[in-house]
Amino acid sequence: MKTINYSTRVALTGMLAAVVLASSVASPAQAQTQVVNVYSARHYGALEKVFAEFTKETGIQVRLSSGSSQALLERLRADGKQTPADLFMVIDAGTLQLAAEEGLLQPVRSEVLDKAVPPELRDPEGRWYALSQRMRTIVYNPAKVKPEEVQDYADLANPKWRGRLCLRPATHIYTISLTASLIATRGAREAERIVRGWVNNRPQFIDSDTRILETIEAGRCDVGITNHYYVGNKLKANANFPVKLVWANQKGAGVHVNITGAGVTAAAPNRDNAIRLLEWLVTKGQGPADTHLPGGNSEFPVNPSAQAPKVLESLVGTGFKIDYATLRQYGKLQADAIKLLERVRYQ
Ligand code: FE
């Protein structure tokens, strides 16, 4: 398996970057090798390990080109029909929908996929499938905050959190899709009231969920919003990690959910291999939970027969409500979410 770090090439034009990648994935000596080329927005170590296992089992080499979800979408657009990518794997349902709507992904029908991935976690036309689930929720310092005070995203708009709130910046896809889901469940006006309330609390904007947790741990912030697996990963390293998590909006539509997901590109040169990898990722790739995707990253599997990582058991408790109904609207509402964030001067 070969890793190409796309972020180092992001400054190049799309065309040039495509040429660089194409030459690295299709030299004549490799012509006989079975390959699948993946554009991947995941940057967690566990992924390479899972791909190596896929290669061992199938003989298909996985070639990885990584970048942010948005950068990879730009890349796929620029590639057009010449794309070397077979599988487009990103960490945002909205980005997958946009790619699908623009005709950059192709419909795939497969019994294995339909059985392994519940309907709410895939495109009805089969253009993308979730591989793992992540919840974006509220985290707090229990020495300074009572969980009753932070039950919902709207609670963080309360002026009592002025100077005590840590958030991810507006440019990050996590912030954009969370805002899109607030618009979807509560309407544009209420979503704007909430997000404006956060901004009025003069948050510290920190472009890393891990650092948000560490800032709360250090006492320099009391509440924040992060993906659940960052708490899970911290707990894996230290069972006494002090920052706590609340599953947000349990009296409403449920906690905001997003996915790692993937779709076969419209012009995939190795379509069959891409489908095989996709099928593998939602079956064998789902376990054992603590080493495989999504387990290596403390995410929740999509396949109902797969076990969630052990570290999540204490967080899940007796279960919690998840807002699946809005997952397929993040793409459609992405532009509105970005405009809302600009209007309230979210940094
Ligand atoms: Fe993440």
Side-chain angles (χ1 to χ4, degrees):
M1 194 187 62
K2 185 166 179 177
T3 302
I4 302 162
N5 189 345
Y6 177 57
S7 61
T8 60
R9 301 211 169 117
V10 81
L12 301 177
T13 65
M15 186 61 91
L16 181 57
V19 169
V20 171
L21 183 73
S23 64
S24 67
V25 298
S27 70
Q30 294 168 331
Q32 300 306 310
T33 316
Q34 285 282 327
V35 297
V36 57
N37 299 315
V38 181
Y39 279 3
S40 167
R42 287 188 61 112
H43 46 87
Y44 312 107
L47 189 62
E48 278 86 349
K49 199 166 156 256
V50 175
F51 283 163
E53 215 167 302
F54 170 77
T55 301
K56 206 168 114 195
E57 212 179 287
T58 62
I60 300 167
Q61 300 277 332
V62 181
R63 303 228 166 95
L64 203 55
S65 178
S66 55
S68 74
S69 295
Q70 295 108 308
L72 291 175
L73 178 58
E74 287 296 329
R75 174 86 172 277
L76 201 57
R77 283 173 180 146
D79 290 348
K81 292 199 171 89
Q82 304 305 314
T83 191
D86 299 301
L87 202 62
F88 179 66
M89 180 189 290
V90 291
I91 53 171
D92 179 58
T95 306
L96 286 164
Q97 278 144 10
L98 290 175
E101 296 298 312
E102 290 174 32
L104 299 169
L105 305 176
Q106 60 174 290
V108 169
R109 281 267 88 98
S110 141
E111 243 174 73
V112 175
L113 292 170
D114 284 352
K115 203 171 147 218
V117 186
E120 65 271 21
L121 289 168
R122 53 180 150 93
D123 174 46
E125 292 174 45
R127 295 168 298 182
W128 57 264
Y129 293 83
L131 307 171
S132 62
Q133 317 179 53
R134 57 261 303 280
M135 288 63 187
R136 191 151 188 85
T137 196
I138 299 168
V139 290
Y140 66 96
N141 178 348
K144 296 183 182 173
V145 178
K146 293 194 196 77
E148 308 87 87
E149 297 178 282
V150 287
Q151 290 294 303
D152 184 33
Y153 307 106
D155 294 337
L156 304 189
N158 188 312
K160 74 173 155 186
W161 305 118
R162 181 159 292 191
R164 302 170 67 190
L165 182 59
C166 271
L167 295 174
R168 200 85 186 233
T171 47
H172 201 277
I173 197 69
Y174 293 167
T175 304
I176 294 167
S177 283
L178 174 60
T179 304
S181 80
L182 290 173
I183 296 171
T185 47
R186 306 171 201 227
R189 187 182 293 231
E190 176 61 6
E192 183 157 337
R193 187 194 69 79
I194 293 169
V195 179
R196 192 182 295 278
W198 299 347
V199 173
N200 287 344
N201 283 334
R202 300 195 189 120
Q204 281 184 58
F205 292 104
I206 299 177
D207 203 10
S208 151
D209 282 15
T210 300
R211 276 198 285 121
I212 289 175
L213 289 172
E214 289 166 357
T215 304
I216 295 173
E217 183 186 19
R220 293 197 299 272
C221 244
D222 294 337
V223 284
I225 298 178
T226 70
N227 286 353
H228 81 275
Y229 54 82
Y230 291 99
V231 178
N233 292 345
K234 282 286 185 190
L235 284 170
K236 249 199 282 191
N238 167 18
N240 298 314
F241 182 66
V243 180
K244 300 284 180 214
L245 164 159
V246 172
W247 299 113
N249 197 20
Q250 294 302 288
K251 288 188 181 142
V255 68
H256 169 66
V257 58
N258 211 331
I259 56 171
T260 293
V264 178
T265 66
N270 307 286
R271 179 178 181 271
D272 292 349
N273 293 349
I275 294 171
R276 211 158 154 201
L277 177 56
L278 205 48
E279 289 179 340
W280 194 89
L281 286 169
V282 297
T283 52
K284 292 186 180 166
Q286 299 277 296
D290 287 301
T291 52
H292 283 60
L293 183 145
N297 188 37
S298 304
E299 286 174 81
F300 291 100
V302 287
N303 190 327
S305 70
Q307 243 192 346
K310 268 243 167 290
V311 75
L312 296 179
E313 279 171 15
S314 66
L315 298 179
V316 170
T318 53
F320 59 95
K321 201 200 286 181
I322 301 163
D323 181 14
Y324 286 116
T326 58
L327 184 75
R328 292 210 206 97
Q329 297 180 51
Y330 305 161
K332 204 173 59 193
L333 292 170
Q334 195 184 88
D336 289 347
I338 291 169
K339 273 188 234 146
L340 188 159
L341 290 162
E342 283 169 4
R343 269 200 306 280
V344 304
R345 299 208 162 88
Y346 191 119
Q347 278 174 37

